[in-house]
Amino acid sequence: MSVHPATVTVELPNRSYNIEIAHHCLKDLGSKLVETGLGKKSNKVLVVSNPVIYKYYGETVNASLSDAGFSSTSLILPAGERFKTANSLQKIYDAALNHRLERSSLIVALGGGVIGDMSGYAAATWLRGIDLIQVPTTLLAMVDSAIGGKTGINHPHGKNLIGAFHQPRLVWVDPEVLKTLPAREFRSAMAEVIKYGVIWDRDLFELLANCDRLDQLRYVKPDLLQSILYRCAKAKAEIVSKDEKEGNLRAILNYGHTVGHAIESVTNYRLYNHGEAVGLGMVIAGAIAVDLGLWTQQDQDQQMLLITKARLPQTLPSGIDLDAIAASLSTDKKVEAGKVRFILPTAIGSAELSDRVTTELVKQNLRKIVT
Ligand code: NAD
Ligand code: GLY
């Protein structure tokens, strides 16, 4: 089945850019850069990736860049969140120095959120900022991390504590690369997809509700996948265009993340991966919103249905330390003036920032999902 390519523009003063979504477009990256004049002046490109992704897609990207006349070099960093560090960043700077990147050169991030965030931060800071091209290879990166300009690395004492806003010049999405993505990565990113349906896009929510299963690529038809990528990109683009630096509105993208981060941290990042924890956070945030009379039990049930279709966890193991989760909420990066900034759904397709959520209310609802 052929699926039409789609373009979404992130509208920003003087820095608008496109997210292009097209099957088999990876091989056309170089010609697209030439067409848009990106990197033309210095002709130098640094591709940053990891060994798994590079094995699958490195050759296609490099051939595309050299066929288009670019001098490209690649840096392969070890895979995984634990390598999202100052040490890896230093390696990107070293590669930039060795390849003599100039102000008009490009960094291409070929990977998921880890590679995208690190390469983005390197691009934000090398020579006080050079152009970044995001080529996301995970579902999470396609719908979220490659869009919107948040870049950074982890500090040994906290995730994403070091970073900068640095918008890419282009986000180049080839959905074909999802065919090699491990099933758990696909499934957990579905939590973020459902998130957009709940907080912003009711039509997306309904599209998802009409699908039997959302947990594996093979159950999601190409045209539905294209709609998911398009609608999520559009949702994120609209939110970022209205509030680039997270003054207020952009915080709704953290729906499910407050409790999710706390669960991830209390279970030492071993039991659940990020999307799974966000899914659990959405279960709790929805239940709290029902308790506060902000949204209906019926809407909560519909959200639960999507979480079930994505085969995301909905319960916590007995013995989990709920006090530790509650305590961890107050150390979350989203704390402002001592209050946890909680995102609560108000209807399918809308959410708001609330300071009415007490740790006791969170604990009450956590208790309900302990098995
Ligand atoms: P990831 O980058 O670690 O990738 C997940 C795994 O999938 C890795 O092992 C990777 O090697 C593998 N992989 C990637 N693409 C593949 C492919 N096409 N085929 C086979 N294997 C592939 O994880 P992620 O979920 O993409 O990103 C998580 C990171 O994103 C976190 O560090 C998080 O903080 C960050 N993030 C950033 C933002 C933002 O706005 N900047 C938003 C959300 C998350
Ligand atoms: N992923 C949250 C944001 O981009 O703001």
Side-chain angles (χ1 to χ4, degrees), residues 121-152:
Y121 189 60
T125 46
W126 183 251
L127 303 178
R128 298 197 182 87
I130 67 171
D131 285 343
L132 168 71
I133 310 298
Q134 290 277 11
V135 184
T137 62
T138 62
L139 179 59
L140 177 124
M142 290 177 186
V143 300
D144 190 356
S145 63
I147 306 165
K150 279 191 183 175
T151 71

Side-chain angles (χ1 to χ4, degrees), residues 259 262-268 271-272 280 315-326 363 366-367 369-371:
V259 168
I263 292 173
E264 272 185 288
S265 138
V266 166
T267 54
N268 292 321
L271 198 52
Y272 304 105
L280 284 162
T315 56
L316 291 167
S318 64
I320 193 159
D321 190 344
L322 300 186
D323 289 326
I325 296 178
K363 265 169 46 184
L366 284 169
R367 258 181 236 120
I369 64 162
V370 173
T371 49

Side-chain angles (χ1 to χ4, degrees), residues 144-145 147-150 165 192 195-196 236 240 244 246 250-251 253-254 257:
D144 190 356
S145 63
I147 306 165
K150 279 191 183 175
F165 285 98
E192 306 280 0
K195 173 190 84 176
Y196 287 114
K236 183 139 189 193
V240 168
E244 183 186 6
E246 201 169 315
R250 186 166 176 168
L253 291 169
N254 296 318
H257 286 61

Side-chain angles (χ1 to χ4, degrees), residues 126-260:
W126 183 251
L127 303 178
R128 298 197 182 87
I130 67 171
D131 285 343
L132 168 71
I133 310 298
Q134 290 277 11
V135 184
T137 62
T138 62
L139 179 59
L140 177 124
M142 290 177 186
V143 300
D144 190 356
S145 63
I147 306 165
K150 279 191 183 175
T151 71
I153 57 167
N154 298 331
H155 183 275
H157 293 294
K159 267 190 75 164
N160 296 331
L161 289 180
I162 304 155
F165 285 98
H166 186 66
Q167 299 292 344
R169 296 295 304 275
L170 173 72
V171 184
W172 194 244
V173 181
D174 182 349
E176 286 295 313
V177 305
L178 295 178
K179 287 184 174 156
T180 55
L181 187 69
R184 190 176 178 192
E185 298 295 338
F186 184 84
R187 186 175 69 230
S188 53
M190 262 306 155
E192 306 280 0
V193 172
I194 296 169
K195 173 190 84 176
Y196 287 114
V198 174
I199 64 166
W200 195 257
D201 183 352
R202 193 185 177 94
D203 291 345
L204 169 65
F205 193 98
E206 276 159 17
L207 270 178
L208 299 173
N210 285 330
C211 185
D212 288 337
R213 286 180 64 166
L214 295 165
D215 56 319
Q216 287 179 46
L217 183 64
R218 65 195 162 112
Y219 297 121
V220 179
K221 294 200 180 86
D223 54 344
L224 175 64
L225 179 65
Q226 184 76 0
S227 297
I228 287 175
L229 296 174
Y230 172 73
R231 299 207 77 96
C232 292
K234 188 162 167 289
K236 183 139 189 193
E238 285 168 0
I239 293 167
V240 168
S241 299
K242 286 180 200 295
D243 180 20
E244 183 186 6
K245 303 270 170 81
E246 201 169 315
N248 199 350
L249 175 72
R250 186 166 176 168
I252 66 170
L253 291 169
N254 296 318
Y255 176 54
H257 286 61
T258 312
V259 168

